[in-house]
Amino acid sequence: MKVLLINPYYPISEGPSPPLGLAFIGAALEAAGVEVKLLDYVVFPYDKEELRSVLLRFRPRFVGLTCVTMNFHEAMRVVRDVKDIAPDIATIMGGPHVTFCAEETLKEHPELDIIVLGEGERTIVDLAKAAEADAPLDEVRGIALRSGARIILTPPSVGPLDLNSLPLPARHLLPLGRYKALNLAISMTTSRGCPHKCIFCVGRRMVGSRVRYRRPDLVVDEMEYLAGLGFSQINVADDLFTANKKHCLEICREIERRDLKIKWSSFARVDTVTAELLAIMKKAGCRSVSFGVETGSAKIMKTIQKGITIDQVVEAVKASNEAGVVPCASFILGLPGETEDTLQETVAFARKLNKMGVKYGYHLLAPFPGTAVREKSQEYGLRVLTDDWSEYNADRAIVETDGADKATLDKVVVDWEEKALTYLAIITELVAKGEAGQEEAALLASLDRNMQTYGLMMDKALETHGRFQDDSQSPDGRLERLLERLAANGYAPAPLKASLTHALEKGVLSRREQDGQVEWSWRDFL
């Protein structure tokens, strides 16, 4: 039994990390004796002919993809190509988007055979076992599939997964070197589930309202492994890392007991942190904590069932500053009841927090399938402007309220984006004059390197220009030859040299040679 897993394209501007969900799925399959291969089109350019080559050589029984709403169309493009190349391969998709619009997805997209509903580790193994035994797939729990002209949703899986029984994510399947080269964080989880009822979020319905925890020793085992990979930061991607203070403290104490020197970040609610807890987290390596603040309007805060107050936000920021942990805040514009006045409240509150040292950002409400704001949009006074899933990126308004139309909502975000660009332009000018501070210069250099590196990856520059005859004896001379070839093909020399030198230092740029022939490539697997 062979399964090919695919991570469809997702914009690098969204700050992706190595696909953790697929790594969990891959680990579950491998533990069941299935041979797994993974393609990641976030850091590799999509090419149908290369996909054809993989399918014909690997010959998987299933091709499984994950997606969110924003990249659903990209995922379906791959599914259509899989069916065009090898019609007998069964196509499977999982993730929150298809979980909550399974029937319509299968009706509209005949190329997709099966949808995994909710958590997928147990279900995908059951599917593989059923297929290998030639058993009816409609006896597998937790899926949606066709039976003739009908769409069948099988009974849900029995009980929530025991997280401690899951094998560690199969990160050996992932092109970690490329993510490391792009200076992106690597993610992990210590729990699943969220007890809160925010009307714009789908997490509670996807993984349950009861929070399930991994044993602290297993959590820190994984942290220790990730620390050895050399990523700049670990992102603890739990919906709410601080949901259980005891569990949080046990993890921090285990990190200290092992004397692990790591940097990590986490998500928290403002009503679950104190200066004391944050200080312990800081001592264990936590550098920043992200709070979902959502709005500066007390009235909207109640409407969205966030369960926090403006005063609690301020106190959490003060506690973060006292502990030396960088506080970050995210806001959602266009929530039910939004007006020009509430928008100004939010903007004013964001600026107040910024003066207190908070890094903040705006998103525009995206009514994802499975959320209350979508299912009860009329009740909440929302007008959903489009069902073009590619526009569900939270960058521009796709929802209006009676008090705030699309233009009004977009203007807040556009103004914020323009200020960020102006700030970068000022830093660029200061760097050019030699007047920039060390932190500012480092920020600009990192952005330039990442843009250059990503461009090289997605242009397949090393694959195209990185193989040639080379008799250079010194490492510097060898790199210079590569730089010359790339510069001759239109790449700017200065940022190019900085990017490749940095990649070489991080151990993610590889050079092989034989009989005077040299081949440069990204070291995909660490």
Side-chain angles (χ1 to χ4, degrees), residues 86-100:
D88 292 339
I89 293 177
T91 53
I92 304 173
M93 194 176 292
H97 178 83
V98 292
T99 290
F100 297 110

Side-chain angles (χ1 to χ4, degrees), residues 93 98-100 102 115-120 123 142-144 153-154 157 206:
M93 194 176 292
V98 292
T99 290
F100 297 110
I115 289 174
V116 172
L117 307 171
E119 290 180 302
T123 305
I143 64 171
L153 273 65
T154 66
S157 294
M206 188 68 183

Side-chain angles (χ1 to χ4, degrees), residues 196-266:
H196 301 284
K197 302 178 181 180
C198 304
I199 65 174
F200 53 83
C201 181
V202 77
R204 175 187 173 94
R205 289 186 63 188
M206 188 68 183
V207 294
S209 59
R210 183 174 69 83
V211 184
R212 291 159 286 149
Y213 300 95
R214 294 175 63 202
R215 288 200 335 250
D217 60 316
L218 296 180
V219 168
V220 183
D221 284 347
E222 186 172 356
M223 283 184 159
E224 193 165 7
Y225 164 71
L226 296 180
L229 296 177
F231 278 80
S232 58
Q233 182 167 295
I234 297 169
N235 178 31
V236 178
D238 300 23
D239 287 324
L240 182 53
F241 176 64
T242 55
N244 182 306
K245 183 177 179 181
K246 180 176 180 290
H247 184 254
C248 180
L249 288 173
E250 286 176 350
I251 290 171
C252 292
R253 287 170 182 149
E254 182 65 15
I255 293 171
E256 287 190 67
R257 188 187 69 78
R258 300 190 195 187
D259 196 29
L260 277 184
K261 305 303 181 185
I262 55 176
K263 295 179 181 179
W264 52 279
S265 64
S266 70

